Amino acid sequence: MTFEEIGLHELVLEGLSCMGFEKATPIQEQAIPEVLKGRDIIGCAQTGTGKTAAFVLPILNKILEKDYKNTSTLIIVPTRELALQIDQQIQGLAYFTGATSICLYGGGKAGDWKEQKKAMDQGVDIIIATPGKLISHLIMKSINVSTIENLIFDEADRMLDMGFYEDICRIISFLPEKRQNLMFSATMPPKIRDLAKRFLTNPFEVSIEISKPSEGVLQAAYLTFDNQKTPLISSLIKGKDEYKSILIFTSTKRKVNDIVRSLRGNNFEVKGISSDLEQQEREDVLMAFTTKKVRVLVATDVISRGIDIKDINLVINYDVPGNPADYVHRIGRTARADTTGVAITLINPDDMYKFRNIETLIENEVPKVKLPEVLGDGPEWRKTSSKGKNNNGGRKKFQGKKKFYGKKKH
Ligand code: AMP
């Protein structure tokens, strides 16, 4: 379906044509007409499906038609990276509409607030905010949300995982009751349904398949011991010019630094990104990677969701993510929008049970590739848990402790 057929405003169509969007993606096709009718939406879609434009486009349409005089739209997101990315898409799509937007997140530059306050006093149309920052402004009464008519939650599941439930309820208590609510989440666990029940009115449900990686991703896995991982990565990427942009995911900040150090030792151009970096440093690293000044980026899951870096040719999972949906998010960084890409996962004996859970979720067995001979033998693949152990490979006692309920620094 084309955007003309959906019936968007001419000035919105102009923005779309400049961005080169010709056809609506499935989530856009389903959600936009309902948002235009004024309905609340609950959308289950992962990043890469075009979900940002699915809410930005009809909201821009509404802003043009209603000609609001004050801030009308609040977008709440889990991380500042996602806030900035949404803001960028708004700037492109809204170019001809005159609609304005600002981002509010923790850890910005000194002096940002002055500019943001000025924008709000002038009636900026759209505020994109992380919950923590927004709540502190609301408490200090330094922001007025009494004119908000459109509320959007993006990556709602991640916000709840990060412990933002109370903050979200509190933020909503400051908003006018009469408003349109759009909630997007990559997964739809019961806690998201509960949140939707609490704050959405008779929502229209849109669900885009989330458990399967995009078909353009070629997936493979290596069974390795930890000391074989870095030499394996080096052999996978050395002299392979077709891998121009490589993203390596790992689960901890400490490992990011270790991997960066060892790859640099092997003369690769590599940078790391995690929540340890200041906001400006994170932006600089992302910029160096997106502009291809740096070939390899090592990251924690902070950037696996929501962040849109084009043309990544190879994603390497240095370790297996504990949450199977994170696997889909991580490898979704490659093969975006009809391109192809490769996703390689390194599995040590402790991670085999996690990888089996992933294969169950994606309903597919990922081929296990033999290690290059020089690296010696890797561990044997265990299709099921070893006898006498529980299903988590004997790690049951750690289960409760591993779960994180507090707020993370993002
Ligand atoms: P998202 O799922 O919102 O993170 O979007 C993923 C990528 O798809 C972004 O780079 C968007 O610019 C792009 N995109 C969104 N909608 C379309 C469309 N209708 N046609 C082409 N690209 C799109």
Side-chain angles (χ1 to χ4, degrees):
M1 195 185 261
T2 64
F3 292 105
E4 280 88 351
E5 285 164 341
I6 291 179
L8 288 168
H9 193 288
E10 216 176 289
L11 296 174
V12 179
L13 291 176
E14 275 189 55
L16 277 164
S17 130
C18 280
M19 300 271 286
F21 295 6
E22 286 164 11
K23 272 175 61 190
T25 65
I27 186 140
Q28 292 162 1
E29 210 173 291
Q30 292 177 46
I32 297 174
E34 298 302 319
V35 184
L36 292 176
K37 282 185 215 158
R39 274 192 81 169
D40 280 7
I41 299 275
I42 178 159
C44 185
Q46 66 182 106
T47 188
T49 54
K51 70 178 165 60
T52 313
F55 61 78
V56 168
L57 292 169
I59 292 299
L60 289 175
N61 216 80
K62 213 171 158 186
I63 289 172
L64 280 169
E65 282 180 356
K66 294 213 168 189
D67 196 18
Y68 300 110
K69 295 290 172 275
N70 296 298
T71 306
S72 63
T73 303
L74 176 62
I75 304 176
I76 308 178
V77 298
T79 61
R80 41 195 165 184
E81 278 81 8
L82 185 55
L84 287 167
Q85 190 188 309
I86 293 175
D87 195 30
Q88 258 172 16
Q89 267 205 53
I90 293 176
Q91 281 176 24
L93 294 169
Y95 190 78
F96 297 96
T97 68
T100 51
S101 59
I102 52 160
C103 281
L104 299 179
Y105 48 78
K109 281 185 252 131
D112 279 357
W113 174 238
K114 244 187 184 167
E115 257 174 55
Q116 289 161 353
K117 182 88 181 81
K118 197 168 142 207
M120 283 188 287
D121 291 344
Q122 288 170 350
V124 68
D125 293 292
I126 303 171
I127 295 176
I128 310 144
T130 53
K133 192 66 183 175
L134 184 57
I135 206 97
S136 50
H137 280 310
L138 289 169
I139 290 166
M140 289 188 304
K141 296 198 168 53
S142 45
I143 177 172
N144 174 14
V145 290
S146 66
T147 54
I148 296 294
E149 294 195 20
N150 311 300
L151 174 67
I152 295 132
F153 303 96
D154 197 11
E155 302 281 5
D157 51 350
R158 176 122 299 199
M159 284 199 273
L160 296 195
D161 287 347
M162 289 166 71
F164 282 133
Y165 184 80
E166 295 301 327
D167 280 356
I168 286 173
C169 297
R170 202 144 170 221
I171 289 166
I172 292 174
S173 73
F174 284 89
L175 301 177
E177 283 201 359
K178 193 173 162 295
R179 49 169 209 271
Q180 187 173 9
N181 305 289
L182 317 178
M183 184 187 284
F184 290 86
S185 186
T187 56
M188 222 21 90
K191 59 189 180 178
I192 291 290
R193 297 226 163 257
D194 290 347
L195 190 71
K197 232 183 246 159
R198 196 161 162 193
F199 297 116
L200 272 53
T201 311
N202 183 26
F204 178 77
E205 285 201 36
V206 190
S207 182
I208 301 298
E209 185 84 30
I210 61 136
S211 59
K212 303 235 175 49
S214 144
E215 285 186 2
V217 186
L218 184 70
Q219 300 173 68
Y222 284 91
L223 305 167
T224 66
F225 294 108
D226 283 343
N227 61 354
Q228 294 169 314
K229 287 185 175 180
T230 319
L232 173 61
I233 293 177
S234 299
S235 79
L236 287 171
I237 65 177
K238 196 168 182 174
K240 305 270 173 60
D241 293 342
E242 65 271 32
Y243 298 142
K244 289 193 173 52
S245 273
I246 301 165
L247 185 51
I248 302 177
F249 281 113
T250 186
S251 46
T252 66
K253 295 186 262 189
R254 194 178 54 78
K255 279 198 209 161
V256 169
N257 298 333
D258 292 347
I259 299 167
V260 168
R261 220 172 301 123
S262 17
L263 287 178
R264 273 204 192 128
N266 288 341
N267 292 326
F268 290 109
E269 245 177 62
V270 51
K271 281 202 185 286
I273 188 166
S274 71
S275 53
D276 264 355
L277 295 187
E278 292 299 324
Q279 177 62 18
Q280 190 57 47
E281 292 172 303
R282 287 156 88 172
E283 280 169 35
D284 291 347
V285 171
L286 277 177
M287 181 57 77
F289 185 61
T290 34
T291 54
K292 311 259 189 293
K293 291 203 176 90
V294 165
R295 183 178 174 221
V296 186
L297 180 67
V298 186
T300 54
D301 282 303
V302 156
I303 67 156
S304 82
R305 291 194 190 213
I307 298 311
D308 180 37
I309 303 170
K310 289 197 171 60
D311 306 327
I312 292 171
N313 318 104
L314 173 65
V315 167
I316 297 176
N317 291 312
Y318 187 86
D319 36 38
V320 182
N323 176 356
D326 279 343
Y327 175 81
V328 181
H329 289 294
R330 283 183 179 191
I331 74 168
R333 304 305 83 218
T334 184
R336 313 203 88 181
D338 298 337
T339 60
T340 51
V342 179
I344 291 173
T345 304
L346 313 188
I347 312 172
N348 70 12
D350 280 350
D351 281 352
M352 287 187 193
Y353 77 95
K354 291 193 218 159
F355 203 72
R356 285 196 300 271
N357 290 341
I358 288 167
E359 291 186 323
T360 307
L361 175 85
I362 62 174
E363 296 173 354
N364 218 337
E365 262 189 38
V366 176
K368 316 291 177 301
V369 185
K370 204 170 159 9
L371 287 176
E373 235 164 67
V374 286
L375 297 182
D377 288 335
E380 283 290 309
W381 175 239
R382 292 194 308 268
K383 260 186 168 245
T384 52
S385 309
S386 350
K387 210 174 164 222
K389 288 189 174 176
N390 59 57
N391 203 29
N392 283 344
R395 315 178 108 233
K396 196 163 189 172
K397 63 182 175 184
F398 293 115
Q399 276 181 345
K401 287 185 190 159
K402 274 200 321 203
K403 200 146 191 158
F404 185 80
Y405 291 100
K407 272 182 221 162
K408 282 184 190 157
K409 188 186 162 209
H410 273 277

